Each structure stands twice: as structure tokens, then as C-alpha cells.
Amino acid sequence: MNARALTICLAALWLAGCQWLPEQTRKNVAEPSVRQDDMPSCYAEIPSFADDACLLRDWVGFGLAAQRGDSEWRERMRERLAGSRTEARLARAVVLSWGPPSQWKQASELFKADLHAAPSRLQPLLRYWLNEIERRREQQNRLADSEEARGALAAEKEALTQKLDALTDIERNINSRQRNE
């Protein structure tokens, strides 16, 4: 997922505002007498499927962390997310999707295998990430095909250049013989 698309997604979530929050949380936000301790604490380091006010925020935050993290961070997260729990597998897919292209296929397979088991509120975000990884994989395949075609054309050009040079030498020899006669 590119930065612009992610920014648009986050802006849409931000603009959507309170309708994403449960009714009780909405009331708490509006009442200044509610203590800050009563508010949900979002942005867990590793997201879960707990269907609360933080569900989308935690997963979006985790996606951003995976995008911004370096290879060491992603490796540590993949180790922490080892296991067969669905939420761990989907979190691992998010981490893999921001790794090198060699990991994109595995990320796609994890998304496809477990997306249906995610909470319904989370599925559109996960589907968006799956579509993004598929788009990047398709672009990577087109790039590889293009590089292969370019290599074949360069080899063909080199062969034609050698043939042209050989024909030029033959023509020089013929012209040289005609002058000497």
C-alpha cells in the first residue's frame, strides 16, 4: 500500500468520526466529567480481534508500524506472531506485506486464508490490504517480464550488431578487391 492510499484511508477514518465508536464511548467523549482513565487505550503493539472502539485504530496503527519499521523490526514481529491463531496470522500477513517482494506471496496467502475469520468491521481494511499486496505483486511480475523482454531485446541487438559488423567487413573486402583489379 502506498503512502498516499494509506493517507486517504486514515483521513476517511478520521472524517468518519464518532459513528465508528460505540454509543457508550460517544457519550463519554462528549462528557467532560469522564476521567481520561475511563477512555479506551488504543494502539496496542500487536492488534487483536477484540471488537471494541480500538479495533480499527489498532490495526491501522499496526499497518503503519509495519510500513515504517525496518527489516529487524519486521523480523522480531514475525517471530512474536508465530503461531496458528487467526489474528496472529493476519498480523503476520501485514508484516510480510511490507517486507521484500519475496514475502508478498506468503502475505497474500495468509490474507486470503484468514480474512473471512476477522471481525466484519475489520474485513474491509484487510481486504484493502490484500488488494494492495496483489497489485504490488502484479506490478512486480510485470516489471520482471519487462526486464526479461529488455534483456532478450538487448541480446538480439547485440547479435544484429555483430552481423552488421560482419557484413560491413565483407563489403569492405569486396570494395577493396574491386579497387585493386
Side-chain angles (χ1 to χ4, degrees), residues 1-11 13-14 43-47 55-70 73-74 77 90-91 93-99 111 125-126 128-129 136:
M1 177 167 38
N2 64 30
R4 184 175 184 179
L6 189 55
T7 302
I8 291 170
C9 181
L10 289 174
L13 285 173
W14 182 75
Y43 302 112
E45 186 177 11
I46 296 180
L55 179 70
L56 289 174
R57 289 183 207 160
D58 283 349
W59 280 90
V60 168
F62 186 73
L64 286 170
Q67 181 181 11
R68 294 175 182 151
D70 59 10
W73 182 90
R74 284 190 285 275
M77 274 299 153
L90 285 169
V94 173
V95 171
L96 291 169
S97 69
W98 290 107
F111 275 127
L125 178 64
L126 297 175
Y128 176 77
W129 285 342
R136 282 189 277 148

Side-chain angles (χ1 to χ4, degrees), residues 140-156:
Q140 185 71 22
N141 289 339
R142 281 189 294 198
L143 178 63
D145 291 346
S146 174
E147 286 296 319
E148 186 178 319
R150 188 188 63 74
L153 287 172
E156 183 180 351

Side-chain angles (χ1 to χ4, degrees), residues 36-113:
Q36 192 66 19
D37 295 341
D38 294 339
M39 297 298 293
S41 159
C42 295
Y43 302 112
E45 186 177 11
I46 296 180
S48 70
F49 282 169
D51 198 5
D52 59 13
C54 295
L55 179 70
L56 289 174
R57 289 183 207 160
D58 283 349
W59 280 90
V60 168
F62 186 73
L64 286 170
Q67 181 181 11
R68 294 175 182 151
D70 59 10
S71 60
E72 290 176 16
W73 182 90
R74 284 190 285 275
E75 182 63 33
R76 281 193 315 274
M77 274 299 153
R78 283 198 343 253
E79 289 171 5
R80 289 179 64 186
L81 295 167
S84 59
R85 285 187 1 261
T86 302
E87 59 191 13
R89 287 170 47 92
L90 285 169
R92 194 166 55 244
V94 173
V95 171
L96 291 169
S97 69
W98 290 107
S102 61
Q103 295 176 344
W104 293 352
K105 180 178 181 184
Q106 184 182 5
S108 174
E109 290 169 354
L110 287 170
F111 275 127
K112 289 175 183 175

